[in-house]
Amino acid sequence: MVRAATIPAPKRPVEVREYPRPDLEDGAALLRTLFSEVCGTDLHLQQGLLAETPYPLIPGHSTVGILEEVRGDVRDVQGRPLNPGDVVTFLDVHATCGRCWFCLVAKASTRCPERKVYGITYGADDGLLGGWSEYVYLKPGVRIIRLPEFLAPRTVIGGGCGLPTALHAVERSDVLLGQTVLVQGTGPVGLSAIALSRLRGPYRIIAIGAPRGRLEAARAMGADLCLDLDATTVAERRAAVLNATDGRGVDVAIEATGDPLAIPEGLDLLRDNGTYTVVGQYTDHGPVELNPHVQINKKHVDIRGVWGIDYSHLHRAVLLQERYNDRFRWEKLITHEFDLDGANEAIESVRSGEAIKAVIRPWPAE
Amino acid sequence: MVRAATIPAPKRPVEVREYPRPDLEDGAALLRTLFSEVCGTDLHLQQGLLAETPYPLIPGHSTVGILEEVRGDVRDVQGRPLNPGDVVTFLDVHATCGRCWFCLVAKASTRCPERKVYGITYGADDGLLGGWSEYVYLKPGVRIIRLPEFLAPRTVIGGGCGLPTALHAVERSDVLLGQTVLVQGTGPVGLSAIALSRLRGPYRIIAIGAPRGRLEAARAMGADLCLDLDATTVAERRAAVLNATDGRGVDVAIEATGDPLAIPEGLDLLRDNGTYTVVGQYTDHGPVELNPHVQINKKHVDIRGVWGIDYSHLHRAVLLQERYNDRFRWEKLITHEFDLDGANEAIESVRSGEAIKAVIRPWPAE
Amino acid sequence: MVRAATIPAPKRPVEVREYPRPDLEDGAALLRTLFSEVCGTDLHLQQGLLAETPYPLIPGHSTVGILEEVRGDVRDVQGRPLNPGDVVTFLDVHATCGRCWFCLVAKASTRCPERKVYGITYGADDGLLGGWSEYVYLKPGVRIIRLPEFLAPRTVIGGGCGLPTALHAVERSDVLLGQTVLVQGTGPVGLSAIALSRLRGPYRIIAIGAPRGRLEAARAMGADLCLDLDATTVAERRAAVLNATDGRGVDVAIEATGDPLAIPEGLDLLRDNGTYTVVGQYTDHGPVELNPHVQINKKHVDIRGVWGIDYSHLHRAVLLQERYNDRFRWEKLITHEFDLDGANEAIESVRSGEAIKAVIRPWPAE
Amino acid sequence: MVRAATIPAPKRPVEVREYPRPDLEDGAALLRTLFSEVCGTDLHLQQGLLAETPYPLIPGHSTVGILEEVRGDVRDVQGRPLNPGDVVTFLDVHATCGRCWFCLVAKASTRCPERKVYGITYGADDGLLGGWSEYVYLKPGVRIIRLPEFLAPRTVIGGGCGLPTALHAVERSDVLLGQTVLVQGTGPVGLSAIALSRLRGPYRIIAIGAPRGRLEAARAMGADLCLDLDATTVAERRAAVLNATDGRGVDVAIEATGDPLAIPEGLDLLRDNGTYTVVGQYTDHGPVELNPHVQINKKHVDIRGVWGIDYSHLHRAVLLQERYNDRFRWEKLITHEFDLDGANEAIESVRSGEAIKAVIRPWPAE
């Protein structure tokens, strides 16, 4: 039997349940989990905040492990065969159809209606399709990446889902060489957005976040100026940002907070004709007031929403971790580690903001 | 003496005043006005809604006339000399500095702080710098365009300031061949946005506006489906747009209404990963509520504010009018014509929505 | 049995062969051919000019017909079922894998190594996979489009493969409103490039081509100025283009000739910082000399190669034909029509340049 | 009197001449030269390879110095006054007109026909308008940048004109996070292109160049793999690049060699649908053969020429040097230093390839 932490229903504590070990269909693989991430979405799933969640659910959409079994010819995107014993991660997004209007005409695959996500829109009734489990069933067509030789599983899970999401956001933000970037939010997405903005050759990176421990992480990831959300007013932050930008505001701002109020504040911190990217509003926390004359039209601004990732984001995130893991220590973002029985504590560590990054480790360390 | 309609102070009726005929400095020219436009901005100037307006003010920022006098070597952008007798229009934006951070580093000349606009930020104390006047003083450096042989002054003023503004908006909207475009608003900017969207090879154009006369103009400009704002509810319009787009919403929407409430409605009519351009919020009408999760982040949308125009927009607007004036009859948008003494009536015709386009004609027709 | 025109081997005449009528696997369909196109690529296939062609080969990659049989659940990209009796066309490109580096990381699906093309890289041994046949076997996964109600099969085949190819090229060319476009070549791709450039709101379109009949077609498709390749020298054409562009050259040029010498000529006809799109070099006709200082670096030019199409190009091509078939009469490009036994004459009509567009019609008109 | 190294005529040795110290017109400034660069263009000017050079000529277009005198109100782009004693550099490009078709419609200011360049298109008869002089006359309108506090003049001149040129090239190349970049050429432009590509977050940078000393500099600037042009064949380099890129070729290649033959080689080292930027062909070295089918059309490539710089490139180059001078030691590129009397030796050090970067220092070090 396979043990997996399971959310039985909205607002109910996670329970460890046992599932039969699955037989593999052709093209499938079985992953022995090393680490699976605990992220804000997992908290929201437990709180019942996401629409149409298929409870009972095994959470965990960013996962690293060792291939235990492979059935048939399973290959990575370069066509190289994947074999038992390989240390891998995989794209949680599965079943993007490749035949609908969004996939083929709009080329907006993250809006494909067939798209399924491990640990979020696949439920426990669909199989072992979440990472908070001793084993994960990798269905045929799941995009699997073998970790490069010198990239540790712990580094990859330290990046987690926040890193490719941040990559998507930074890419949509079109940071130019020598520009000043503001990142609002110092959770996992914000911290990776800081690191990846640093990789785009900016003049300066400003971060707004809290609590203090996360601001230290922000500085380690490359922020030049950190503003403590808990210790400053909106007016003080505005004064600090204008002071750092010759009174103009930043060239690019990336919102990674989850708080609707961050958006009007961020637009006010942006220079005229700047770019504002919204990647933190993954859950519906209600509306917010904007002034379309002042904050959009006269500002001549670009505002860009960023939903989800596709394979290219994960692929390049892994390459960047391999290349830059001496500069950005994603593994150091991991502040909390739990076994399956600790899943409720894991969620609580994220809810309270105590953890920067919590991970589930289903098996004892060897 | 030169007669010019003048707004003496905010909320005061327009008066015709007399000014001395100016001597020309080197590089300047004197324009004998044929037509000058009455647009929504003129109404807002009279109502005192724009900050820092230099009253007394001669309105009229889009103007066509005949060069009466030219002092020294005055040329168009192709280097061809401009001579008395030439029928011309000119860019109302003057004195963009070409040496500030916005001009040189951001390349966002519409946000240059030195920028002055004829009839809006130049007041009567600065000279004859508005079009509701028998003569307009064209300072050195004003960008003047001689009208092509087969382009009538009436056609140019029928396009007015709305046409190059719409060109800027349509260009920022990146309409692809075969897409469906929604234009919200059927005033001068909206009607030209319909015409110019038609020139981008869309599959279908949907317009939302009122009153009925403007919807007829919208149809003449190329809208395939017109929704009457006065006769439909938000829900009905949404049903109609979804019905016309296989349930997805439009690919591109252009807001040209002046009403903040148009923005949440427009975002709801846009498909996921569509482009939303805001060009109608030229005056501050207060804030509006948006839902950042639903309308920005999950929608994976691009929102683009558009402020002002530069010379390239006017230049190409004139080329397009020359080339396509048989297809789009901008001169037919002119429903009201006034002499200088009728300036208050002209403003009223715009305020009431009775006029599609009103123009001032300082001299009797010959 | 099914009759199909077949190229047995390179440089050998086409023969009509008989094949068994295929049984359909699940998800497949059988198309009764109405029209299939004869294009330059078919000529090159017969001449043996393309590498790795799987002879014997049934040519015909752009085809319109009626669904005769459908096995299982076959749908279009909007999810609507396709049924026997539907008049359809389909994307010749099949089997783009959706799992390789080019599909997933580069998002350059036209460079996917798994990609197969009906009538070009599928041979007769693979099945009835070319359009010069009474029936075409539509494999599972082939992207099928039902023709809109008022779009005639003849119009669609008049556009043929040249129309979506031109759409791809025009889209890569970023024509701005009011610009001047040069199209080099007045074969099917060039003529559709003229039509689609016309749909982008240019100031003027210049075409270079031959013979005279094609120049008339170019004019009908929207060219403002046609230069006869047979009756002018390079110097004369250059003088004419510079004269039409204030001495600067065109803003955008699209090469659709197949002749390497067109490229240096086209670059010389382009203005500094213009865009040059190469879509006509589908067959290797050897090298050509360019001057990188004069024609690339100092010119500050963008040169863009365009290979193949994806589904979005065909989808929008059909929408555009539906919407604009009163303006651009693609069906009038069809100058020659042959039955299967006339396939060799069909190829000859293309080789000689006598045909603008030749089509194969396997069944007698009803 | 002011001493300045002067090229009297094509192919003639440089002579030190004396010129009267100029009076300043309003808005002008006098720069006491600290360092002026010796670059490949200076060599070509001396060899008479550039068309329309106004001999006699004082070379030196990239220069750092101390403001000796300022007449009237001279400010930087942020509006801050510039004063005697300020350590500054300036944009060599002057007199971009801001009123021609290229400036205003095409927005391609590097193609403005009025544009003048210090030390290249301004001759000695125009004034002290080159940097190989004790003093440089900064005309009104010259864009002057005060060096930030912690940026040494030596670092700035170590970057020289190659750095902003490389910035323009890297920006046109659209390097994505995690891509592999090839830089062809390890002269000053190539070395800065390596550094700036490194700042864009690539997976890997490959450099091709010679001699050995420059390859060491390339490695110091961030190249991961250096291929020695003198010690490898075209085939060996191709094998090495394909081996480093899973057989595909690089995502982006930047040509900075001056050798036309680099272009076909570079295109062959680029993956399908990659981007190829040509910035090294500043002098006409004649034509080269390309295969348009293989190297452009089927490759689905983007080729981008890059001519000159504008103010934004210099502005951000200075910001980047301030921010990243601990990572990239531009001052270490300076291998040779000469006084005015050593100008002919300076040119020879560049011609022979012995110098990576040579500079002229008109005054003795203090």
Side-chain angles (χ1 to χ4, degrees), chain C residues 28-291:
Chain C
L30 194 69
L31 184 78
R32 182 184 158 100
T33 305
L34 289 170
F35 299 102
S36 188
E37 190 193 29
V38 183
C39 92
T41 297
D42 300 313
L43 168 65
H44 296 146
L45 288 166
Q46 192 273 329
Q47 293 175 329
L49 295 180
L50 274 70
E52 301 176 44
T53 303
Y55 301 99
L57 179 105
I58 306 170
H61 50 280
S62 180
T63 304
V64 184
I66 299 172
L67 290 180
E68 175 101 0
E69 255 188 277
V70 174
R71 176 87 187 282
D73 188 32
V74 180
R75 294 173 181 268
D76 68 12
V77 299
Q78 261 116 350
R80 291 179 295 225
L82 292 156
N83 298 310
D86 287 346
V87 181
V88 304
T89 189
F90 65 93
L91 182 69
D92 56 351
V93 178
H94 181 242
T96 302
C97 75
R99 62 177 180 268
C100 74
W101 189 90
F102 276 103
C103 283
L104 289 176
V105 181
K107 297 176 188 172
S109 76
T110 70
R111 303 309 299 131
C112 169
E114 297 297 312
R115 188 174 174 265
K116 288 285 189 180
V117 186
Y118 269 67
I120 300 178
T121 66
Y122 275 136
D125 295 344
D126 300 312
L128 287 173
L129 305 179
W132 299 10
S133 172
E134 291 172 340
Y135 291 102
V136 182
Y137 184 83
L138 303 182
K139 287 170 161 261
V142 167
R143 307 293 168 215
I144 303 170
I145 304 180
R146 184 167 35 217
L147 300 196
E149 191 175 355
F150 298 106
L151 178 55
R154 184 176 284 275
T155 303
V156 173
I157 208 68
C161 66
L163 173 59
T165 302
L167 194 154
H168 194 181
V170 170
E171 202 146 283
R172 288 260 290 157
S173 301
D174 289 334
V175 180
L176 299 185
L177 284 165
Q179 288 193 324
T180 293
V181 179
L182 168 69
V183 176
Q184 296 177 281
T186 50
V189 174
L191 292 169
S192 279
I194 292 167
L196 297 178
S197 296
R198 172 54 62 213
L199 285 177
R200 296 304 274 169
Y203 177 61
R204 184 178 276 161
I205 297 176
I206 303 171
I208 298 177
R212 191 162 287 230
R214 291 190 177 199
L215 290 182
E216 277 159 31
R219 209 175 303 274
M221 283 311 210
D224 298 291
L225 173 63
C226 291
L227 301 173
D228 186 337
L229 197 67
D230 292 340
T232 54
T233 63
V234 169
E236 285 166 351
R237 292 193 291 275
R238 183 162 159 78
V241 169
L242 292 183
N243 184 53
T245 56
D246 290 306
R248 285 185 306 262
V250 299
D251 299 295
V252 170
I254 299 173
E255 183 280 328
T257 68
D259 180 355
L261 286 171
I263 293 182
E265 175 171 355
L267 285 167
D268 287 342
L269 299 177
L270 187 69
R271 71 162 167 90
D272 286 356
N273 194 214
T275 298
Y276 191 68
T277 300
V278 177
V279 67
Q281 308 286 326
Y282 263 70
T283 302
D284 189 348
H285 292 294
V288 69
E289 279 197 342
L290 296 179
N291 183 307

Side-chain angles (χ1 to χ4, degrees), chain B residues 1-6 15-22 31 33 58 128 130-136 339-342 360-364:
Chain B
M1 299 299 280
V2 177
R3 299 177 75 239
T6 308
E15 305 168 1
V16 176
R17 295 188 177 178
E18 299 208 332
Y19 299 86
R21 178 164 164 154
L31 184 79
T33 304
I58 305 170
L128 287 174
W132 298 11
S133 172
E134 291 172 339
Y135 291 101
V136 182
D339 60 16
L340 291 174
D341 297 305
I360 298 287
R361 187 169 189 168
W363 302 91

Side-chain angles (χ1 to χ4, degrees), chain B residues 72-363:
Chain B
D73 189 31
V74 180
R75 294 171 181 269
D76 68 12
V77 299
Q78 261 115 352
R80 291 180 294 224
L82 292 156
N83 297 312
D86 286 348
V87 181
V88 304
T89 188
F90 66 92
L91 181 69
D92 56 350
V93 178
H94 180 242
T96 302
C97 75
R99 62 176 180 268
C100 74
W101 189 90
F102 276 103
C103 283
L104 289 176
V105 181
K107 297 177 188 172
S109 76
T110 71
R111 303 309 299 131
C112 168
E114 297 297 313
R115 184 175 176 266
K116 289 287 189 180
V117 187
Y118 269 66
I120 298 178
T121 66
Y122 274 136
D125 295 344
D126 298 314
L128 287 174
L129 305 178
W132 298 11
S133 172
E134 291 172 339
Y135 291 101
V136 182
Y137 184 83
L138 302 182
K139 287 170 162 260
V142 167
R143 307 293 169 216
I144 302 170
I145 304 180
R146 187 167 32 218
L147 300 196
E149 191 175 354
F150 297 106
L151 178 54
R154 186 176 282 274
T155 303
V156 173
I157 208 68
C161 65
L163 173 58
T165 302
L167 193 153
H168 194 181
V170 171
E171 202 145 283
R172 288 261 288 156
S173 301
D174 290 334
V175 180
L176 300 185
L177 284 165
Q179 288 194 324
T180 293
V181 179
L182 168 69
V183 176
Q184 296 176 281
T186 50
V189 173
L191 291 169
S192 279
I194 291 167
L196 297 177
S197 295
R198 173 53 63 213
L199 286 177
R200 296 304 276 167
Y203 177 60
R204 183 178 276 161
I205 297 175
I206 303 172
I208 297 178
R212 190 161 285 232
R214 292 189 177 199
L215 291 182
E216 277 159 30
R219 209 175 304 273
M221 284 311 210
D224 298 291
L225 173 63
C226 292
L227 301 173
D228 186 336
L229 196 68
D230 293 340
T232 54
T233 63
V234 168
E236 286 166 352
R237 293 192 292 273
R238 183 162 159 79
V241 168
L242 293 183
N243 184 54
T245 56
D246 291 307
R248 285 186 307 262
V250 298
D251 299 295
V252 170
I254 299 173
E255 182 282 326
T257 68
D259 181 354
L261 285 171
I263 293 181
E265 176 172 353
L267 286 167
D268 287 342
L269 299 177
L270 187 70
R271 71 163 167 89
D272 286 356
N273 194 212
T275 298
Y276 190 69
T277 300
V278 177
V279 68
Q281 308 287 327
Y282 263 69
T283 302
D284 189 349
H285 291 295
V288 69
E289 279 196 343
L290 297 179
N291 184 307
H293 169 68
V294 175
Q295 294 177 308
I296 301 178
N297 202 355
K298 188 165 187 180
K299 205 168 189 90
H300 200 78
V301 76
D302 273 42
I303 302 174
R304 298 174 185 171
V306 177
W307 186 256
I309 60 167
D310 66 29
Y311 178 77
S312 78
H313 304 111
L314 182 64
H315 185 93
R316 290 183 288 136
V318 168
L319 291 177
L320 291 173
Q321 289 200 306
E322 178 197 359
R323 180 67 181 75
Y324 296 102
N325 62 6
D326 57 336
R327 168 66 188 84
F328 306 106
R329 310 295 303 271
W330 280 278
E331 66 278 8
K332 294 203 171 177
L333 300 183
I334 303 172
T335 52
H336 292 65
E337 210 170 309
F338 301 91
D339 60 16
L340 291 174
D341 297 305
N344 288 301
E345 289 165 75
I347 287 175
E348 174 56 21
S349 76
V350 168
R351 197 203 53 75
S352 68
E354 195 192 320
I356 295 180
K357 169 77 72 184
V359 300
I360 298 287
R361 187 169 189 168
W363 302 91

Side-chain angles (χ1 to χ4, degrees), chain D residues 307-322:
Chain D
W307 185 255
I309 59 166
D310 65 30
Y311 178 78
S312 78
H313 304 110
L314 182 64
H315 185 92
R316 290 183 288 135
V318 168
L319 290 178
L320 292 172
Q321 288 199 306
E322 177 197 0

Side-chain angles (χ1 to χ4, degrees), chain D residues 216-276:
Chain D
E216 277 158 32
R219 209 175 305 273
M221 284 311 210
D224 298 292
L225 173 62
C226 292
L227 301 173
D228 187 337
L229 197 67
D230 292 340
T232 54
T233 64
V234 169
E236 284 166 352
R237 293 193 291 273
R238 183 163 159 79
V241 169
L242 293 183
N243 183 53
T245 56
D246 291 307
R248 286 185 305 261
V250 299
D251 299 295
V252 170
I254 299 173
E255 182 281 327
T257 68
D259 180 355
L261 285 172
I263 293 182
E265 175 171 354
L267 286 167
D268 287 343
L269 299 177
L270 187 69
R271 71 163 168 90
D272 286 357
N273 194 212
T275 298
Y276 191 69

Side-chain angles (χ1 to χ4, degrees), chain D residues 158-310:
Chain D
C161 66
L163 173 58
T165 302
L167 194 154
H168 194 181
V170 171
E171 202 147 283
R172 288 261 289 158
S173 301
D174 289 334
V175 179
L176 298 185
L177 284 165
Q179 289 193 323
T180 293
V181 179
L182 168 69
V183 176
Q184 296 177 282
T186 50
V189 173
L191 291 169
S192 280
I194 291 166
L196 297 177
S197 296
R198 172 54 62 213
L199 285 178
R200 298 303 275 168
Y203 177 60
R204 183 178 276 161
I205 297 175
I206 303 172
I208 297 177
R212 191 162 286 229
R214 293 190 177 198
L215 291 182
E216 277 158 32
R219 209 175 305 273
M221 284 311 210
D224 298 292
L225 173 62
C226 292
L227 301 173
D228 187 337
L229 197 67
D230 292 340
T232 54
T233 64
V234 169
E236 284 166 352
R237 293 193 291 273
R238 183 163 159 79
V241 169
L242 293 183
N243 183 53
T245 56
D246 291 307
R248 286 185 305 261
V250 299
D251 299 295
V252 170
I254 299 173
E255 182 281 327
T257 68
D259 180 355
L261 285 172
I263 293 182
E265 175 171 354
L267 286 167
D268 287 343
L269 299 177
L270 187 69
R271 71 163 168 90
D272 286 357
N273 194 212
T275 298
Y276 191 69
T277 300
V278 177
V279 67
Q281 307 287 325
Y282 264 69
T283 302
D284 189 348
H285 291 294
V288 69
E289 278 197 344
L290 297 179
N291 184 307
H293 169 69
V294 174
Q295 294 177 309
I296 302 179
N297 201 356
K298 187 164 187 180
K299 204 167 190 92
H300 200 76
V301 78
D302 274 44
I303 301 174
R304 298 173 186 171
V306 177
W307 185 255
I309 59 166
D310 65 30

